[in-house]
Amino acid sequence: MTDRSPVIYPSDADGVAAVARVLREGGLAAFPTETVYGLGADARNDQAVAAVFEAKGRPVFNPLIVHVPDMAAAEELVRMPDAAVTLATAFWPGPLTLVLPVRPDAGLSALVTAGLDTLAIRVPDHPIARDILRAAGCPVAAPSANPSGRISPTTAAHVVSGLGGRVAAILDGGPCAVGLESTIVSCVDTPRLLRAGGLPETDVARVLGQHLSEAGPGIVAPGQLSSHYAPRGRVRLNARDARAGEVLLGFGRVDGALNLSPSGNLVEAAANLFAMLHQLDQMDAKEIAVAPVPMVGLGVAINDRLRRAAAPRHTADSVG
Ligand code: TXA
Ligand code: MG
């Protein structure tokens, strides 16, 4: 593990080529997607994938999402039942990850799937990300580019402050448009929601023509432990105002030191969420109050992340 600063590349053809080369050669590179920045590694290279876990301080049993440039590349790695084809056709590229049976000859590092016979895979909707994936020519395993248990990065500066010299290269593509991680749906059998995220569950259900089954106990995404996405301060939810010593993160008319969306727009709130949690860390906020966010559309995923931010902290086993 080095402590040299990462090389930060601008969002142009040379930057894409440089980051793709780092990935091909087995290095770690962070790149923007529409959801959050990913910490990428060649998914076929055991050493590179192991370096991802090391850089994040992540427990190795937690499998990673593999990123590919299009559905054809996905089909080389996984079997796609009808429901998966329907969802991929409707939402790829986009903030949807599908968990699918991995092909035995996919050639992936066993660390990527943490030994499961399923693979989480997605096609990101970000032109730079897809250019990098095409130029790299390999499937890219990429968890969010933050230290395990900390807030996901939505800017290159967040990556620098979280991972610093543990990543060789960062492509700076500006802030992420969605700002929440992808929605994860398992299509191994009946479609199940494993993680609420940047694609509202209602959109998925509409395209499938059926409600999603809840993930029963034991079939949750392994990364979904309760303490996650945590700023350093203690978090109190559904606050209408700030108590003494608290910094209020507002929403809509419940205004605070920061406001996720003064107009009460959930898309804007999602895009701001992680950046504002980072800002609360920078402000050294010890006690954080968060305004209520309605449980509709992207509000479901926003509240999921906020609940994790407010959960009693794990230390050794918080992941992500
Ligand atoms: O938006 C995103 O999904 C971002 C960007 C970079 O693409 N990536 C991301 O990756 O959030 P990560 O590693 O932080 O979260 C991956 C989640 C974890 O909760 C993990 O447990 C789950 O996906 N997962 C991965 N493979 C799985 C599998 N085979 N079955 C069930 N869950 C899986
Ligand atoms: Mg994560």
Side-chain angles (χ1 to χ4, degrees):
M1 198 177 289
T2 67
D3 267 320
R4 273 175 293 146
S5 307
V7 184
I8 300 180
Y9 293 98
S11 177
D12 60 20
D14 289 346
V16 167
V19 164
R21 190 175 340 108
V22 168
L23 292 170
R24 256 196 327 269
E25 291 174 354
L28 300 188
F31 59 94
T33 78
E34 79 281 29
T35 59
V36 300
Y37 276 69
L39 176 62
D42 179 349
R44 303 166 309 190
N45 181 326
D46 284 317
Q47 300 246 340
V49 177
V52 168
F53 290 111
E54 185 189 46
K56 284 182 63 84
R58 177 187 254 199
V60 285
F61 54 74
N62 193 19
L64 304 177
I65 297 175
V66 164
H67 297 66
V68 290
D70 50 42
M71 181 145 54
E75 284 178 312
E76 290 174 19
L77 303 176
V78 286
R79 285 195 294 110
M80 296 189 68
D82 291 346
V85 173
T86 302
L87 291 177
T89 305
F91 298 116
W92 281 357
L96 173 69
T97 293
L98 296 174
V99 170
L100 295 165
V102 65
R103 292 189 188 280
D105 59 351
L108 299 174
S109 162
L111 277 176
V112 169
T113 54
L116 300 174
D117 53 9
T118 56
L119 178 69
I121 191 162
R122 82 181 192 100
V123 178
D125 184 18
H126 192 295
I128 290 291
R130 292 170 79 202
D131 286 351
I132 290 171
L133 294 172
R134 276 194 212 94
C138 58
V140 173
S144 49
N146 53 288
S148 192
R150 301 288 306 283
I151 307 158
S152 291
T154 57
T155 66
H158 294 159
V159 181
V160 175
S161 84
L163 294 177
R166 284 178 280 174
V167 53
I170 302 174
L171 195 135
D172 186 352
C176 301
V178 174
L180 283 178
E181 295 90 345
S182 58
T183 298
I184 305 182
V185 175
S186 167
C187 289
V188 173
D189 39 55
T190 319
R192 286 172 200 280
L193 181 72
L194 300 189
R195 175 173 79 182
L199 179 69
E201 178 185 355
T202 43
D203 291 10
V204 178
R206 182 172 37 75
V207 164
L208 285 177
Q210 66 178 84
H211 281 296
L212 289 175
S213 308
E214 287 298 317
I219 21 179
V220 291
Q224 298 300 90
L225 299 183
S226 55
S227 166
H228 201 61
Y229 307 103
R232 290 195 196 90
R234 263 223 318 248
V235 178
R236 180 171 71 88
L237 301 180
N238 295 316
R240 303 255 160 213
D241 44 35
R243 295 177 187 158
E246 284 182 337
V247 181
L248 179 63
L249 175 60
F251 176 81
R253 268 176 282 178
V254 180
D255 200 17
L258 302 171
N259 194 321
L260 290 167
S261 170
S263 66
N265 177 320
L266 289 166
V267 176
E268 182 184 32
N272 282 334
L273 178 65
F274 292 146
M276 289 190 172
L277 293 176
H278 278 285
Q279 258 174 284
L280 289 163
D281 274 352
Q282 278 152 19
M283 293 160 66
D284 205 24
K286 301 266 192 298
E287 303 285 337
I288 299 164
V290 185
V293 175
M295 278 293 280
V296 291
L298 286 179
V300 177
I302 294 171
N303 277 298
D304 172 80
R305 303 301 186 273
L306 287 171
R307 267 197 311 277
R308 290 171 205 284
R313 303 294 155 81
H314 302 271
T315 43
D317 61 349
S318 69
V319 293

